Amino acid sequence: AAVRKLMFSAEELEARHAVLHSLEQSLRSNQFEAYVLGHALADLAVNASVIINELTDGRYELDYDGEFYVRDTWMDPHRRSVKTLSGGESFIVSLALALALADSVAGQRSLGALFLDEGFGTLDPEALDSVTEVLTNLTSSGRMVGVITHVTSLTERLPARLVVEKGRTGSRL
């Protein structure tokens, strides 16, 4: 009976050791980091998808499953890699991800300013209208949005602008 009790105890300890060893391996390697990062990116995709949906009148949805995917609900119900997006579509997805990340970083507080540098040259006039509308809506919610661009048609749509002019003696504002 004592031997049987010791054997049962040894089996329990071996099972517990196997679980602890597996946990140690997961925490030592990048598995835990990848797990946490995967969930954070999935949450970011959900929040960015809401913004993309607004930007595109419900056309696109964003998803994350090890990499980012987009679904064009107007054309094809199947998702595809974001690597297949056109320049304008890529810009809209990038803008939505940047806005979602800014909101995520801010947490309960609000980030007062967001600066976007270029990328507007890839947009067709319709997409430029949508992006301008979203940027304007962001400012109405109390956030300052700074846009750095060389696209004249965009600068003409913005309510206020600073123009930097290059000269022989330096730049002036």
Side-chain angles (χ1 to χ4, degrees):
V3 171
R4 197 172 343 159
K5 188 175 180 183
L6 284 174
M7 288 177 64
F8 179 73
S9 182
E11 288 175 6
E12 282 184 337
L13 289 172
E14 285 176 3
R16 187 171 178 202
H17 177 266
V19 169
L20 292 173
H21 181 71
S22 176
L23 180 60
E24 176 194 26
Q25 292 301 312
S26 294
L27 292 175
R28 264 193 195 182
S29 68
N30 64 353
Q31 291 177 16
F32 181 70
E33 180 182 323
Y35 173 81
V36 171
L37 184 59
H39 279 281
L41 289 172
D43 289 346
L44 183 64
V46 167
N47 295 334
S49 191
V50 172
I51 296 167
I52 291 169
N53 197 286
E54 291 173 14
L55 274 173
T56 63
D57 292 326
R59 182 172 181 175
Y60 295 106
E61 297 172 350
L62 190 66
D63 188 22
Y64 181 82
D65 183 17
E67 71 174 275
F68 286 103
Y69 293 93
V70 68
R71 181 176 293 111
D72 183 341
T73 62
W74 292 3
M75 303 294 282
D76 186 3
H78 299 81
R79 68 183 192 168
R80 60 188 167 110
S81 172
V82 293
K83 297 172 187 172
T84 65
L85 295 174
S86 70
E89 293 168 332
S90 291
F91 178 80
I92 290 171
V93 169
S94 296
L95 174 62
L97 283 167
L99 294 171
L101 184 58
D103 290 342
S104 175
V105 168
Q108 298 297 323
R109 291 174 274 139
S110 175
L111 290 180
L114 177 68
F115 289 88
L116 304 171
D117 187 3
E118 279 307 332
F120 299 98
T122 60
L123 300 177
D124 60 49
E126 187 177 300
L128 197 56
D129 286 338
S130 295
V131 169
T132 305
E133 183 179 332
V134 167
L135 295 175
T136 303
N137 290 344
L138 287 172
T139 60
S140 67
S141 66
R143 180 180 288 171
M144 181 184 80
V145 179
V147 176
I148 302 166
T149 186
H150 294 92
V151 178
T152 306
S153 60
L154 175 61
T155 60
E156 292 170 348
R157 298 170 191 215
L158 300 175
R161 55 194 158 273
L162 298 172
V163 179
V164 178
E165 294 176 350
K166 294 179 185 178
R168 291 183 185 195
T169 60
S171 299
R172 68 184 184 98
L173 194 59

